[in-house]
Amino acid sequence: MSTLSSAPTLDEVAQTAGVSRSTASRAINGGLRVSPEAQAAVDAAVLQLGYTPNRAARSLVTRRTDSIALVVPEPDERILTDPFLSGTLRGVSAALAPTDLQLVLLIARPDEHAGRIVRYLRSGHVDGAIITSHHREDDLEGAVLASPLPAVFVGRPFTAMDDLVYVDVDNVEGGRIATRRLIDGGYRRIATIAGPQDMTAAVDRLTGWRAALGSAGLPDDAIAYGDFAAAGGAAAMEELLERHPDIDAVFAASDLMAEGALRVLRAQGRSVPGDVAVVGFDNLGVAATTSPALTTVQNPVVEMVKAATGMLLDLIAGQPVKESARIFSPVLIRGASD
């Protein structure tokens, strides 16, 4: 028997359970070719002795690392400042809390392509990956298609949507209901600050804006592009006011860009919503802190990421997912900016 000064060993577990060492090892590391009786005996011995499996030894038996990667091909400072990315991290951590799995965070520096991340994923360091904030040219979609590594995207992929597993909010509908809100409010010169067009969320929100304006017979030429960050939103707002001084409303494709737009409108003496109404997208904390509080579209990031993590764990366990794409519905959140 073990003492307080030494951890129990696999041999002690086998002896207590009355099975061979190899049977005890198989029972602890997945139950392959182990009878129900032997499995129950080993489980009881593990509990009685307080045995903790050696992670490295377990990996040799199961070919598992007990780690999953959260892949964020963005500069590291975005993790701390972007509410979508910080919400993603919270969602993964919450979903993994009941498990023994470790989380590996993979980010891309500003001066590098995602090739380093692709090489890491292909090298067997993790059992699976959750990929978010991906871009058209980062090769992550192709890497997943060419690899047996289980992976789930948070955000619609650009290609092979039938072959990749992903969760997303309906961004087209989100852009549509945000713009529809402005149309129903009587605004007729409605601009947009669109996100970077190498990301599907930005493409889809722009599509929704265009669709709503087209249905109402309104022009859709007042477009400026940002980077989903406040500074980019401010620059885009300045551009819109210079090129289209007659605009009376703006749909910003993220709350951070809307925050930047509000600063510029205030600096140029335009009241919100008196002179220009503003609607954002995300509702991840920023909307409640602006002045006035933003009307925005709910982006259920934490719920989406929890769902993505559950789907990934099913894939790692060899279980088929019920659906390869799970789409959440957007909801308009009323503020005071429209």
Side-chain angles (χ1 to χ4, degrees):
M1 297 292 292
S2 61
T3 67
L4 292 176
S5 60
S6 63
T9 66
L10 180 60
D11 288 327
E12 289 174 320
V13 171
Q15 182 179 1
T16 302
V19 300
S20 68
R21 189 179 193 280
S22 60
T23 297
S25 176
R26 289 197 303 273
I28 290 169
N29 294 304
L32 297 176
R33 302 187 307 279
V34 178
S35 70
E37 295 79 8
Q39 183 71 56
V42 172
D43 289 343
V46 167
L47 185 62
Q48 175 185 336
L49 297 174
Y51 176 76
T52 301
N54 180 279
R55 184 175 294 272
R58 185 176 187 274
S59 296
L60 290 175
V61 174
T62 63
R63 299 184 184 276
R64 292 266 299 273
T65 68
D66 286 339
S67 299
I68 69 167
L70 174 60
V71 180
V72 185
E74 299 283 4
D76 53 2
E77 60 268 18
R78 290 290 295 269
I79 297 289
L80 301 176
T81 60
D82 189 307
F84 176 87
L85 297 180
S86 58
T88 298
L89 186 57
R90 288 198 307 274
V92 176
S93 297
L96 291 182
T99 77
D100 291 327
L101 294 174
Q102 304 298 309
L103 179 62
V104 178
L105 179 61
L106 301 179
I107 58 179
R109 300 185 195 85
D111 59 345
E112 70 179 352
H113 190 262
R116 177 181 60 87
I117 291 176
V118 170
R119 290 191 297 273
Y120 185 91
L121 294 177
R122 288 174 172 169
S123 298
H125 297 296
V126 293
D127 297 325
I130 294 173
I131 301 170
T132 191
S133 199
H134 50 287
H135 299 257
R136 189 192 300 269
E137 303 300 330
D138 59 23
D139 195 35
L140 288 169
E141 293 176 19
V144 169
L145 287 170
S147 169
L149 182 75
V152 179
F153 285 81
V154 177
R156 178 179 69 81
F158 273 101
T159 59
M161 286 183 288
D162 292 337
D163 299 316
L164 295 170
V165 180
Y166 67 97
V167 301
D168 205 356
V169 67
D170 188 340
N171 284 296
V172 174
E173 180 61 17
R176 184 184 289 113
I177 65 175
T179 310
R180 187 78 245 174
R181 170 72 187 172
L182 293 168
I183 294 169
D184 291 345
Y187 302 101
R188 291 296 176 265
R189 194 68 174 103
I190 303 171
T192 188
I193 299 175
Q197 297 299 287
D198 66 341
M199 302 180 73
T200 55
V203 171
D204 290 349
R205 293 172 196 179
L206 180 60
T207 297
W209 172 81
R210 288 189 188 278
L213 292 180
S215 296
L218 297 175
D220 63 358
D221 59 317
I223 305 172
Y225 296 94
D227 58 357
F228 281 147
M237 190 72 250
E238 290 176 346
E239 179 185 342
L240 284 171
L241 291 175
E242 182 178 350
R243 292 194 291 110
H244 305 282
D246 60 330
I247 60 174
D248 59 3
V250 177
F251 163 51
S254 79
D255 287 348
L256 281 177
M257 293 197 299
E259 180 185 36
L262 289 174
R263 290 204 305 264
V264 170
L265 289 168
R266 187 180 305 112
Q268 296 201 15
R270 304 226 185 175
S271 66
V272 177
D275 297 321
V276 180
V278 179
V279 174
F281 201 117
D282 281 331
N283 195 39
L284 294 172
V286 174
T289 64
T290 60
S291 181
L294 276 172
T295 293
T296 187
V297 175
Q298 178 86 24
N299 191 1
V301 173
V302 174
E303 291 81 1
M304 287 195 301
V305 174
K306 286 182 180 178
T309 307
M311 295 164 78
L312 180 63
L313 295 180
D314 285 343
L315 290 173
I316 291 172
Q319 302 172 5
V321 294
K322 295 180 180 179
E323 50 192 354
S324 61
R326 182 173 175 187
I327 308 300
F328 289 73
S329 298
V331 177
L332 187 76
I333 306 298
R334 290 289 307 277
S337 62
D338 66 334

